Amino acid sequence: MCKPIKDYLSIVREYTREIMTFGGFVLVCFVYTDFRTLAREQAAAAAETAEILRAMDARLAHLEQATTATDHEKGH
């Protein structure tokens, strides 16, 4: 039982650089896809926020026009 473990560890020692490089590549791919997903979600949230702000601006402009028209009718 000790011989297979010793062989396995010697293989790991021999190919440490390759194993670390492959592990790093896998980690970079994972982080990249996770960041891409995050960027998409943030873009969607920003678009939704911009649309809400545009709607609020339109409603506020409408209220300001209505208030101005009412003040002019009252003679202020």
Side-chain angles (χ1 to χ4, degrees):
M1 182 167 173
C2 229
K3 175 103 169 102
I5 293 174
K6 190 174 183 180
D7 290 340
Y8 175 73
L9 288 177
S10 69
I11 290 172
V12 169
R13 269 191 222 115
E14 187 176 339
Y15 293 106
T16 300
R17 288 183 183 158
E18 289 82 3
I19 293 169
M20 294 299 286
T21 300
F22 182 73
F25 181 71
V26 168
L27 182 65
V28 165
C29 289
F30 174 75
V31 169
Y32 174 74
T33 56
D34 190 45
F35 181 74
R36 227 172 76 184
T37 304
L38 175 69
R40 268 194 210 129
E41 289 173 0
Q42 285 183 341
E48 185 178 338
T49 302
E51 186 60 35
I52 290 170
L53 290 174
R54 271 190 222 110
M56 288 174 64
D57 186 46
R59 285 188 280 175
L60 184 60
H62 178 72
L63 285 173
E64 287 174 345
Q65 287 175 356
T67 303
T68 304
T70 306
D71 286 346
H72 286 296
E73 288 176 1
K74 289 181 179 179
H76 291 214

